[in-house]
Amino acid sequence: MTGIENRMTFELNNNVEMPKIGLGVLFAKNNGEVENAVRKALEIGYRKIDTASAYQNEHGVGKAIAESGIPRENIFLTTKVWNDEQGYDETLQAFDRSLERLRTDYVDMYLIHWPVKSKHKETYRAMERIYKEGRVKAIGVCNFDIPQLEDLMKHSEIVPSLNQVEMHPYLSQNPLMRFAEQHQIQLEAWRPIMMGEVLNIPDLKHIGDKYDKSAVQVTLRWLIQRGVAVIPKSTTPKRIQENFEIFDFELSDDEIAIIEALNQNKRLGEDFSDRI
């Protein structure tokens, strides 16, 4: 085993530094729940928060960040344009609404939430304008497969900095990983711990026992060691803390091979690859 990699960020293709782990806030509600989760994450040491227009909690995220006492420039904030907000003018307006709810004049990453056929190219063109105006530090996409990425890149000026996709031990996304590496597109995993199902995988538990870590922590560490950012979702303080405690151990090559062998190309979420 080599020396443990303690660097906390990945460098994007436009030289922006992005934390390897962030807090996902899907389903967390305003008026207490999301604010408490974000506040706790920031206290622990998280410096990336991932939200979206569709989550309907940007207001609470913005409130928690504003009241955290942590300088805005020290927090990497991601949000996303939803399907019914796509189109050139519509995206510009949706971005302004997100900024208002988030109580900020810029975001660090703005993403297309899903590739909406006939609209996502115009959406991305609007995002390129926002990027050139300096109101976002990086732009990217979510849930794009290889043909969708190739098509988008043929019709755009800026290579996406990030593609946020479903990825976990049962869905390793190896072809997409190879494509992303070739084009310097950072991958980020949503549903990385399979909504807790990784706790029921014996191989992950056995590996975790060696390091006094849970199957969840082993899974998050595996993703980060393969160069993939993670945004595990939780509103439980104990779990938010445990999800962050993945930088004090390193998986061996043999352990990584065991996890890679779990792949079933099995999705737990939706697949919109036919939208193009």
Side-chain angles (χ1 to χ4, degrees):
M1 200 166 63
T2 59
I4 294 174
E5 171 58 77
N6 288 316
R7 190 162 172 264
M8 299 289 288
T9 61
F10 289 125
E11 185 176 305
L12 302 176
N13 59 16
N14 64 348
N15 300 317
V16 168
E17 297 286 332
M18 183 187 78
K20 293 178 177 179
I21 185 169
L23 178 73
V25 296
L26 175 65
F27 302 135
K29 295 178 174 59
N30 289 319
N31 301 319
E33 187 176 43
V34 75
E35 291 92 336
N36 289 338
V38 171
R39 191 176 301 113
K40 180 62 177 178
L42 293 174
E43 287 174 1
I44 290 168
Y46 286 77
R47 289 298 178 265
K48 178 169 65 175
I49 307 297
D50 180 278
T51 185
S53 172
Y55 298 171
Q56 299 182 34
N57 58 18
E58 289 175 312
H59 177 81
V61 169
K63 182 174 186 289
I65 289 174
E67 295 175 355
S68 70
I70 297 170
R72 171 66 185 87
E73 61 269 21
N74 293 346
I75 298 172
F76 193 99
L77 179 59
T78 296
T79 194
K80 314 174 189 79
V81 57
W82 184 238
N83 302 347
D84 63 7
E85 298 173 319
Q86 291 196 37
Y88 186 82
D89 291 334
E90 294 88 343
T91 297
L92 296 177
Q93 294 164 14
F95 182 75
D96 286 340
R97 290 194 297 270
S98 285
L99 289 187
E100 184 176 358
R101 290 190 291 261
L102 290 165
R103 303 189 188 189
T104 185
D105 57 3
Y106 76 98
V107 296
D108 298 270
M109 179 72 74
Y110 198 43
L111 303 173
I112 297 177
H113 208 147
W114 286 98
V116 175
K117 189 174 182 178
S118 80
K119 286 191 175 183
H120 63 259
K121 291 172 193 170
E122 286 299 295
T123 297
Y124 196 76
R125 190 165 66 87
M127 291 165 61
E128 289 180 319
R129 171 178 166 179
I130 293 167
Y131 176 77
K132 291 174 183 177
E133 291 173 347
R135 297 198 293 157
V136 61
K137 291 189 175 181
I139 57 175
V141 298
C142 304
N143 306 302
F144 275 55
D145 61 18
I146 293 172
Q148 290 167 330
L149 286 168
E150 289 176 330
D151 186 64
L152 180 69
M153 289 160 62
K154 284 178 186 174
H155 297 89
S156 57
E157 298 177 38
I158 301 170
V159 175
S161 289
L162 182 135
N163 187 15
Q164 187 183 109
V165 297
E166 181 179 355
M167 188 186 292
H168 45 69
Y170 285 173
L171 183 65
S172 58
Q173 298 269 30
N174 287 330
L176 186 61
M177 281 202 62
R178 289 191 291 270
F179 181 88
E181 288 170 3
Q182 291 168 2
H183 296 277
Q184 294 184 297
I185 300 170
Q186 176 67 48
L187 290 184
E188 184 167 65
W190 60 262
R191 202 161 287 175
I193 57 176
M194 300 166 55
M195 300 178 73
E197 287 186 35
V198 295
L199 293 169
N200 301 319
I201 300 175
D203 284 335
L204 298 176
K205 183 181 185 304
H206 293 155
I207 293 171
D209 288 344
K210 174 181 173 182
Y211 301 102
D212 195 25
K213 297 291 183 179
S214 70
V216 166
Q217 291 167 317
V218 167
T219 300
L220 295 174
R221 181 69 203 184
W222 164 67
L223 285 162
I224 282 178
Q225 280 188 225
R226 13 167 45 205
V228 176
V230 293
I231 45 168
K233 178 264 173 183
S234 182
T235 56
T236 306
K238 183 173 183 288
R239 290 177 185 158
I240 293 172
Q241 175 78 51
E242 289 174 353
N243 290 344
F244 196 70
E245 294 174 346
I246 56 173
F247 295 97
D248 57 351
F249 74 108
E250 185 174 359
L251 301 172
S252 70
D253 291 342
D254 287 344
E255 290 161 344
I256 289 173
I258 290 169
I259 300 172
E260 296 281 347
L262 296 170
N263 179 52
Q264 303 174 15
N265 294 322
K266 178 182 177 181
R267 292 182 181 274
L268 303 178
E270 297 176 273
D271 179 8
F272 286 87
S273 60
D274 61 347
R275 289 191 168 195
I276 192 167

